[in-house]
Amino acid sequence: MRTQVGIVGAGPAGLLLGHLLHLNGIDSVIVENRDREYVVDRVRAGVLEQGTVDLMRAIGVAAGLDRRGLRHDGVYVSFDGRRHRIDMAELTGGKAITVYGQNEVVRDLIDARIATTRPLYFEAQDVEVGAIDSAAPTIRFRHGDTAHEVRCDVIAGCDGFHGVCRPSIPAGVLAIYERTYPFGWLGILAEAAPSSEELVYTYHDRGFALFSMRSPAITRLYLQVPPDESIERWSDDRIWNEMLTRMTASDGWRPNVGRIVQKGVTPMRSFVAAPMRHGRLFLAGDAAHIVPPTGAKGLNLAASDVLVLARALKAFYESGSAEWLDRYSEICLRRVWKAQRFSWWMTTLLHKLPDETPFDHQRRIADLDYLTSSRAAMTSLAEQYVGLPSEVTFESAGLLH
Ligand SMILES: Cc1cc2nc3c(=O)[nH]c(=O)nc-3n(C[C@H](O)[C@H](O)[C@H](O)COP(=O)(O)OP(=O)(O)OC[C@H]3O[C@@H](n4cnc5c(N)ncnc54)[C@H](O)[C@@H]3O)c2cc1C
């Protein structure tokens, strides 16, 4: 097979890139190693920045988002038993976040891809990228009993943190920046109507907790736990006891309790591989960077990376100029590092460290008090939470709808 852009991975990064390229007349082949149901059903992110929502609308994949997405103008920060609302829309000139599950985003993007009739292979086996230093890199894989080789101009490595693209870059090329945290998140989905219309981030003596939702009938909750915690140790009763202990506020607010339909533990990590490019292989999304989920940035960074890549590829095919491709990594990394900083800050502000002293505790309460009482501090959180401006926007990129 021959294509212009070979895309490894059908997560948000790969699918969004494929659609942006399609709209601009650039051919692509998407190769995914899991089956379609697995990719859609994976429970992950749910908070979309204003810029991600705007991008999905601009490329015509926002019908479900506009019908079922939940716009949030504010967010709560809770400590010492009291909830404090930060009015993000008022502080940012009308910007907001939208809660719409990543699985819905991925389902809508797969439908859009299939409607274009451009190739998308699920259940590809033994995926490998090769000749990335040349002008004709390749993707090889097996599909059923057939071996395939896709000859490309460029490969987009959108295959997530555990994919094959980043490890195919020769040793010594990438600088790796990494931090692990001494805690993880136990997350649940529960059949319970959300008891707040907006997210509640809680700092409690027993550790962090987060109230979120996926729909008007489904509540999503998280608890700080040790990083290697086994989910087997958490019966549903134990989970609800701990959730209610940490989250119940002095005004009586608490999450509604319901049947737990999904639960799991996720470790927390900050990770950046730089540069996000080697030869004709471009890394995007989790393949290049991971953030702890506290700042809700992972999916949004995947979207902003591929917007820059689509812009660069459009210039490459229209004028033959590689100037934008050469700047891809540098442009993305500026935004990635700001999101890394924000995610690290939110994480360290709201989680209890194993070796925390009474001094650390008092300092943290002062931090939270300042955050929720200073307009400047609230504005800083709000503008980062709804998403910092991107150097490349859909309009400035001149991309087609
Ligand atoms: C439990 C959890 C909770 C999260 N919560 C949030 C949140 O609240 N907010 C937020 O913004 N982000 C959150 N994230 C992060 C967010 O889900 C990711 O940042 C996002 O999925 C990145 O998209 P991506 O397309 O880069 O990677 P992925 O979604 O990982 O997609 C990569 C794709 O590549 C495929 N693949 C892997 N290896 C190969 C291979 N060898 N060949 C072919 N295909 C391959 C994978 O199957 C996958 O479909 C969360 C992540 C997890 C795990």
Side-chain angles (χ1 to χ4, degrees):
M1 264 182 282
R2 156 96 191 104
T3 191
Q4 290 174 299
V5 182
I7 300 176
V8 186
L15 291 164
L16 270 173
L17 178 64
H19 204 67
L20 279 161
L21 296 179
H22 161 74
L23 293 174
N24 287 274
I26 300 170
D27 189 31
S28 66
V29 171
I30 305 182
V31 179
E32 162 65 48
N33 67 350
R34 300 290 193 154
D35 64 49
R36 182 173 175 173
E37 289 66 35
Y38 182 92
V39 171
V40 169
D41 289 342
R42 216 164 18 193
V43 178
R44 286 182 157 193
V47 172
L48 305 184
E49 289 178 355
Q50 184 70 55
T52 307
V53 170
D54 294 345
L55 174 64
M56 288 181 65
R57 288 198 179 123
I59 64 174
V61 292
L65 168 67
D66 285 333
R67 254 197 324 274
R68 297 187 300 281
L70 307 169
R71 181 186 153 101
H72 291 191
D73 284 341
V75 62
Y76 287 93
V77 175
S78 177
F79 62 99
D80 276 349
R82 281 193 304 135
R83 287 189 300 157
H84 306 259
R85 182 167 186 271
I86 298 180
D87 190 334
M88 298 185 296
E90 197 256 325
L91 293 163
T92 61
K95 293 185 185 159
I97 52 139
T98 299
V99 170
Y100 189 59
Q102 179 168 332
N103 47 334
E104 304 278 343
V105 172
V106 167
R107 179 185 293 120
D108 297 347
L109 289 169
I110 290 174
D111 290 347
R113 175 70 182 188
I114 287 171
T116 68
T117 73
R118 294 196 191 262
L120 164 54
Y121 291 89
F122 286 106
E123 298 180 77
Q125 307 291 307
D126 304 331
V127 179
E128 276 175 26
V129 296
I132 54 176
D133 281 319
S134 77
T138 56
I139 304 176
R140 292 208 177 98
F141 62 99
R142 273 193 311 107
H143 195 247
D145 291 334
T146 314
H148 293 267
E149 181 180 274
V150 190
R151 288 171 66 84
C152 319
D153 298 329
V154 161
I155 295 177
C158 302
D159 50 347
F161 188 66
H162 299 288
V164 292
C165 288
R166 193 180 65 252
S168 71
I169 295 176
V173 169
L174 297 178
I176 302 294
Y177 306 88
E178 191 168 15
R179 172 177 217 122
T180 53
Y181 296 84
F183 39 76
W185 276 14
L186 186 160
I188 62 163
L189 281 179
E191 286 174 344
S195 60
S196 160
E197 284 183 0
E198 294 170 344
L199 273 63
V200 184
Y201 283 82
T202 300
Y203 172 73
H204 186 274
D205 262 355
R206 295 174 65 86
F208 170 77
L210 173 61
F211 167 90
S212 179
M213 70 286 294
R214 284 295 179 267
S215 74
I218 300 285
T219 294
R220 176 103 172 118
L221 302 173
Y222 299 96
L223 276 182
Q224 174 184 351
V225 293
D228 47 5
E229 186 69 323
S230 161
I231 194 67
E232 312 308 327
R233 298 187 57 233
W234 288 82
S235 67
D236 291 3
D237 279 350
R238 182 175 176 209
I239 291 174
W240 281 120
N241 278 336
E242 194 64 30
M243 294 283 181
L244 295 177
T245 302
R246 293 192 198 179
M247 285 192 240
T248 302
S250 49
D251 62 4
W253 178 83
R254 49 184 240 163
N256 288 329
V257 174
R259 191 169 75 90
I260 296 177
V261 290
Q262 193 266 345
K263 59 182 173 182
V265 174
T266 320
M268 312 268 276
R269 178 187 268 132
S270 302
F271 176 94
V272 178
M276 289 168 57
R277 176 230 181 131
H278 180 68
R280 289 285 183 101
L281 171 63
F282 294 79
L283 303 176
D286 277 17
H289 41 72
I290 296 276
V291 283
T294 328
K297 291 290 168 233
L299 168 58
N300 296 297
L301 282 178
S304 57
D305 285 353
V306 296
L307 181 58
V308 180
L309 188 52
R311 200 262 172 264
L313 288 165
K314 183 178 160 76
F316 179 65
Y317 284 111
E318 276 181 3
S319 65
S321 162
E323 190 200 328
W324 275 90
L325 286 175
D326 291 343
R327 291 182 55 210
Y328 166 74
S329 176
E330 158 217 327
I331 294 175
C332 291
L333 285 171
R334 264 198 294 277
R335 195 161 195 279
V336 165
W337 274 112
K338 287 186 198 123
Q340 283 289 0
R341 194 212 66 82
F342 177 67
S343 304
W344 162 85
W345 173 75
M346 286 276 280
T347 303
T348 45
L349 176 70
L350 289 160
H351 289 73
K352 196 174 168 93
L353 294 168
D355 54 357
E356 198 152 303
T357 63
F359 177 89
D360 295 329
H361 176 74
Q362 293 303 332
R363 182 197 45 74
R364 183 191 307 285
I365 296 297
D367 264 347
L368 289 163
D369 196 6
Y370 173 63
L371 170 65
T372 52
S373 58
S374 151
R375 187 175 173 87
M378 286 190 277
T379 305
S380 170
L381 179 135
E383 68 177 6
Q384 296 182 82
Y385 200 68
V386 300
L388 289 171
S390 297
E391 229 165 290
V392 172
T393 62
F394 188 79
E395 289 71 29
S396 73
L399 291 160
L400 300 178
H401 292 248

